[in-house]
Amino acid sequence: MAAMPPLIAQNWKSSQVALTGTVRDAIILAGIVFLAALLGILTRPMGLLALFWPANAILLGVMIRRPRFATAFGWAGAIAGYVAADVITGSDLIKTLWLTAPNAAGVFAGCLLYRLAGIGHQRLRESQSIIIMLVICSIAAVASGLVGGIVAGLFLGQTYFPGFWFWLVTEFVNFIVILPVMLTAPSLSEWHAKLGRKAMWQSRHALPVATLALSMLASSFIGGPAAFAFPVPALLWCATSFALFPTALLTMIFSIWGMMIFSTSAPETVDPMLWMQSIRLGLGMIAMAPLSVASVTTTRNSLLQRLQDSVDHDFLTRTLARGTFMARGKSVIAQDGNVDGSAVLVLDIDHFKSVNDRHGHAVGDNALIAFSSAVSATLRKDDLFGRTGGEEFCVVLPRASATAAKMVAERIRQAVERLQIDAGDGAVLSITVSGGLAVCSGDSKISFEEMLTRADMALYRAKAEGRNRIVSDPS
């Protein structure tokens, strides 16, 4: 049998890999939806009515966060998960398919609208993201209700509008409560980054969480038609204390608790269906408050962080700005316990004015960027690197002996000497750097300003001796 041509064989192999991936995605979605739907089915105290139905919001969150799941195979897997959960709990297949239709309609509408909203809103990272989410959840709930009204007439003995309203309220609350958790949950890489930066839990977080738990416990004992609102102040406290994801998680816990405790406690004189819908809608509206506060707080903190970053760093080279570098350098040198000593290295790009004059300021900017990247690549995490003038830079090396500091300085000089910078029209620009190094021992009381002065004097000698060299302060 003749061998398959290489191009056809490659395309065939790629198709097999793609098909395997889509089948795997379908199986994953089927499992997720099956477990979530099974959880909802177990909360049905009155026939077909679940107190809590997480499957649709979870499915929507997965498809928004991972668009590769929103394919024909993915939808087939999700529907299979819905059907399997209902069938194994004793539901009729035809009835199950009808009940799945409103679920799929709401998720499909939400998925389509979030694709139009943009990436920022999909992770709730923009100022209007909570409002956008509210609008999308409302439209998705309406889509579910439009189909759910028909299902209610067929299987619940209701007229169209009550069935429509029931499905709308139920889906709206489930989306509002669960979707923020799905959208703001950190990815695995984000979890690792957070754990690497600082502890996830701090002692100051305990008090707002404890207050929320106690207020929920108190409202369970006190009871009454408005008892589920008692924890609202604690929720708002949590929203000002935590980022958006922990706030969304605590809000979801509160809302689920409220549905379980208060939805089935209707007085004998009140229609249980209307009572359940009222409680759910009230919980959904309450959930918007901490989410909005946390969203505004997160946006404000992000803006403040960007503002501080622009103040701390040079806009072109992203090295520390002069003011920030001087303040941090002074602090580092003044710290006690630098047993191995510290060093200050002043750097000046040789003949940089001629680079701007011959090639233009755009090429000069590229040279500054390339220079900064080359220097940064040779430094340790705790070293300080700042731009102190046009082509003048400075480095602080904490915990560095004289020998180690000289080695770092020489590596910097060699890295800059190897740079090849695009000067336009096929031309390549090379630059060199001169440096002055000042070192203090661990028991020395020399100030940062004095070290800087000594390093400057050493830099002048490096220029006088021919440039492209590092000269150490002899003192």
Side-chain angles (χ1 to χ4, degrees):
M1 183 177 178
M4 190 179 296
L7 182 59
I8 297 178
Q10 183 178 356
N11 291 339
W12 172 255
K13 185 176 181 179
S14 299
S15 299
Q16 284 183 313
V17 172
L19 181 61
T20 301
T22 53
V23 172
R24 182 181 64 250
D25 292 346
I27 294 172
I28 292 172
L29 272 187
I32 293 173
V33 172
F34 173 79
L35 294 174
L38 196 61
L39 176 62
I41 291 170
L42 296 177
T43 67
R44 288 177 175 172
M46 295 179 290
L48 293 173
L49 307 180
L51 286 176
F52 177 61
W53 186 256
N56 301 345
I58 291 175
L59 176 59
L60 177 58
V62 170
M63 287 190 166
I64 292 170
R65 292 288 298 269
R66 296 289 184 269
R68 65 185 178 87
F69 284 109
T71 63
F73 277 93
W75 280 104
I79 291 172
Y82 282 120
V83 172
D86 256 332
V87 169
I88 69 166
T89 53
S91 181
D92 176 74
L93 179 60
I94 300 300
K95 184 188 297 184
T96 295
L97 292 174
W98 273 104
L99 289 171
T100 300
N103 298 330
V107 175
F108 181 81
C111 191
L112 180 62
L113 291 170
Y114 257 112
R115 283 193 176 186
L116 299 175
I119 297 297
H121 293 305
Q122 292 175 7
R123 294 298 304 273
L124 303 185
R125 289 176 173 171
E126 298 182 12
S127 59
Q128 299 297 319
S129 292
I130 293 295
I131 302 301
I132 296 295
M133 185 195 73
L134 175 64
V135 172
I136 291 177
C137 289
S138 300
I139 296 174
V142 169
S144 182
L146 290 173
V147 182
I150 300 173
V151 177
L154 292 174
F155 298 106
L156 301 181
Q158 295 180 336
T159 58
Y160 182 83
F161 184 76
F164 162 79
W165 181 247
F166 166 77
W167 243 278
L168 187 153
V169 171
T170 301
E171 288 308 296
F172 172 76
V173 174
N174 287 329
F175 283 140
I176 288 294
V177 168
I178 301 171
L179 192 57
V181 177
M182 297 294 298
L183 298 183
T184 60
S187 63
L188 289 177
S189 60
E190 290 170 336
W191 275 115
H192 288 310
K194 288 177 182 293
L195 289 172
R197 287 198 301 267
K198 59 182 179 180
M200 295 292 291
W201 177 265
Q202 300 178 21
S203 57
R204 64 184 176 85
H205 293 148
L207 193 55
V209 173
T211 303
L212 177 61
L214 289 174
S215 60
M216 290 167 60
L217 184 63
S219 62
S220 300
F221 283 105
I222 294 172
F228 64 83
F230 293 171
V232 170
L235 273 176
L236 294 177
W237 187 9
C238 290
T240 60
S241 304
F242 293 99
L244 191 51
F245 170 66
T247 300
L249 189 61
L250 290 170
T251 302
M252 182 183 71
I253 293 171
F254 157 78
S255 301
I256 296 173
W257 161 83
M259 291 182 202
M260 297 298 182
I261 297 297
F262 296 100
S263 290
T264 57
S265 59
E268 295 181 359
T269 57
V270 178
D271 184 345
M273 181 74 72
L274 293 177
W275 177 271
M276 179 185 292
Q277 293 174 8
S278 178
I279 293 294
R280 285 177 171 176
L281 200 55
L283 289 169
M285 293 297 99
I286 287 176
M288 288 299 298
L291 292 174
S292 299
V293 170
S295 177
V296 170
T297 302
T298 299
T299 302
R300 182 203 63 187
N301 291 342
S302 177
L303 289 173
L304 290 175
Q305 185 176 3
R306 289 202 295 269
L307 178 61
Q308 187 63 50
D309 183 77
S310 67
V311 171
D312 289 343
H313 294 84
D314 176 63
F315 76 99
L316 178 65
T317 62
R318 302 307 300 159
T319 59
L320 291 175
R322 178 181 176 85
T324 302
F325 175 82
M326 298 297 286
R328 295 186 184 179
K330 185 176 182 179
S331 175
V332 167
I333 298 300
Q335 285 178 355
D336 294 330
N338 288 335
V339 179
D340 295 327
S342 300
V344 172
L345 173 65
V346 177
L347 300 168
D348 190 291
I349 300 177
D350 296 327
H351 305 297
F352 187 74
K353 185 177 182 300
S354 66
V355 174
N356 284 331
D357 292 342
R358 291 167 52 198
H359 301 283
H361 287 279
V363 174
D365 288 348
N366 290 338
L368 289 172
I369 294 171
F371 169 83
S372 301
S373 298
V375 175
S376 297
T378 66
L379 299 178
R380 301 167 300 177
K381 182 180 179 181
D382 295 334
D383 297 336
L384 301 181
F385 179 35
R387 185 180 182 186
T388 54
E391 68 273 15
E392 298 173 359
F393 295 80
C394 191
V395 176
V396 172
L397 303 170
R399 301 180 307 281
S401 63
T403 301
K406 290 177 182 179
M407 292 176 61
V408 172
E410 182 59 24
R411 283 203 303 269
I412 289 174
R413 188 198 66 78
Q414 293 176 5
V416 173
E417 191 177 37
R418 290 193 297 267
L419 284 176
Q420 299 290 304
I421 301 163
D422 182 10
D425 297 327
V428 175
L429 172 67
S430 297
I431 59 174
T432 58
V433 66
S434 300
L437 181 66
V439 182
C440 70
S441 60
D443 56 357
S444 174
K445 299 301 182 182
I446 185 173
S447 68
F448 173 62
E449 290 81 1
E450 187 175 352
M451 290 186 67
L452 200 58
T453 299
R454 293 182 179 181
D456 270 328
M457 294 174 63
L459 173 62
Y460 295 146
R461 291 199 298 274
K463 292 180 178 181
E465 293 174 10
R467 302 180 186 267
N468 189 22
R469 66 194 64 226
I470 304 295
V471 172
S472 298
D473 173 55
S475 58

